[in-house]
Amino acid sequence: MSLPKYEAYAIRYAQMPRQRADNFIGGDPHDGPMPMDFFVWLLRAPGHIVLIDTGFNAATAQARNRQMLHCPIEALSALGVAAEDIDDVILTHLHYDHAGNLDKLPRARFHLQDAEMDYATGRCMCFAPMRHAYSVDDVTLLVRRVYQDRVTFHDGDQTLAPGIELMRIGGHTKGLQSVRVHTQRGWVVLASDASHYYENMDSKRPFPIVYNVADMLTGHVRLYAEADSPDHVVPGHDPLVLQRYPAFKGSADIAVLHEAPVPV
Ligand SMILES: [Zn+2]
Ligand SMILES: [Zn+2]
């Protein structure tokens, strides 16, 4: 049986300025800007539409002083996708920039790791540095979705559907999962925050928001191992993604990940 070939898109919905020293444990010897982009990702094959992460809303953007470009759910209309078309939502983890807007998805089933719900609702959230990147409103809404029978929990690696595999990585958060998807160019790995930037995984220097450094470093190795080539790994927050991949119909904010990146 041949696997479906999914289309895969990265959709940028927000930005923020950062410095290089902000993005590596131990800082960085070079001064200079290293801005951050915020994405959601869409996978599509005949009969199946999957959204990976759900971004944040305008109120959160204002509260956290992020520059919002679009509502990430409304931005899907550029791809011809409406909120009610989405069958499954993979939540890579529950940080505020990945798990908002759950109120805008009327039909989708949400998928996350047991360990992530445990982390986001358990004793680690007694510590301000650990809960800083979570929004209690988002987490609470997801708990409500559990009670509405709209959440599926996973414990470790799992095939979501033929051609879509969940990879439990941990590291950045206790239950972070990356996604491996089969496309026309082979298996692409969407790292999400397993590696914020190409440079985190390439230089094996973790991003500073981290639950377990060893798991994050092991995760960097695994991202490459599970992809068909180094050019098949897509980091979670890197502006270079939009430079390296073809733009969807000229959009400045949508990269086509099922096509090969431009060599650098
Ligand atoms: Zn995160
Ligand atoms: Zn993030």
Side-chain angles (χ1 to χ4, degrees):
M1 191 190 85
S2 65
L3 287 169
K5 295 186 174 87
Y6 277 85
E7 299 167 33
Y9 303 94
I11 299 110
R12 177 171 65 176
Y13 69 91
Q15 300 174 294
M16 72 178 291
R18 291 174 75 90
Q19 297 299 308
R20 287 190 58 81
D22 299 335
N23 294 333
F24 303 94
I25 289 179
D28 188 85
H30 308 287
D31 288 333
M34 189 173 178
M36 176 175 283
D37 280 351
F38 295 86
F39 296 96
V40 297
W41 300 268
L42 190 87
L43 310 180
R44 176 165 60 186
H48 196 199
I49 296 181
V50 180
L51 181 64
I52 302 173
D53 291 339
T54 53
F56 51 68
N57 63 20
T60 298
Q62 191 170 31
R64 294 190 185 249
N65 196 24
R66 308 296 190 242
Q67 183 193 349
M68 192 148 181
L69 303 169
H70 321 272
C71 165
I73 309 302
E74 290 173 6
L76 303 175
S77 65
L79 294 161
V81 173
E84 52 270 22
D85 298 334
I86 296 164
D87 302 300
D88 292 295
V89 170
I90 299 169
L91 295 170
T92 64
H93 61 307
L94 300 181
H95 278 165
Y96 77 95
D97 54 323
H98 296 260
N101 295 311
L102 300 191
D103 56 325
K104 300 188 177 83
L105 297 158
R107 199 173 66 77
R109 169 157 292 277
F110 300 95
H111 298 266
L112 82 158
Q113 291 285 325
D114 283 330
E116 186 65 12
M117 186 64 101
D118 170 45
Y119 186 55
T121 57
R123 62 170 60 218
C124 287
M125 297 300 110
C126 298
F127 303 114
M130 309 302 267
R131 68 175 179 252
H132 173 72
Y134 289 91
S135 154
V136 68
D137 292 334
D138 295 341
V139 174
T140 302
L141 191 48
L142 185 61
V143 172
R144 291 187 180 281
R145 296 293 178 264
V146 174
Y147 278 67
Q148 292 162 353
D149 198 20
R150 290 184 53 199
V151 176
T152 299
F153 287 97
H154 301 276
D155 182 17
D157 297 348
Q158 187 82 41
T159 298
L160 184 78
I164 300 179
E165 299 178 0
L166 309 178
M167 302 160 50
R168 185 175 63 194
I169 302 284
H172 173 64
T173 64
K174 192 172 180 183
L176 180 125
Q177 57 186 352
S178 300
V179 180
R180 185 171 186 255
V181 57
H182 188 251
T183 72
Q184 65 184 15
R185 70 180 180 111
W187 287 99
V188 171
V189 170
L190 304 174
S192 183
D193 290 4
S195 191
H196 285 62
Y197 295 91
Y198 284 104
E199 202 169 339
N200 291 121
M201 54 186 175
D202 287 351
S203 66
K204 306 219 169 12
R205 290 183 298 151
F207 190 80
I209 298 176
V210 57
Y211 168 75
N212 182 309
V213 176
D215 286 351
M216 188 176 244
L217 288 165
T218 307
H220 290 163
V221 176
R222 189 170 176 214
L223 295 172
Y224 286 120
E226 300 280 3
D228 273 8
S229 85
D231 274 346
H232 287 69
V233 183
V234 181
H237 283 279
D238 199 329
L240 289 174
V241 170
L242 285 164
Q243 294 178 28
R244 291 187 181 183
Y245 285 91
F248 176 75
K249 293 186 176 173
S251 166
D253 294 321
I254 303 180
V256 181
L257 305 176
H258 53 273
E259 291 179 10
V262 178
V264 285

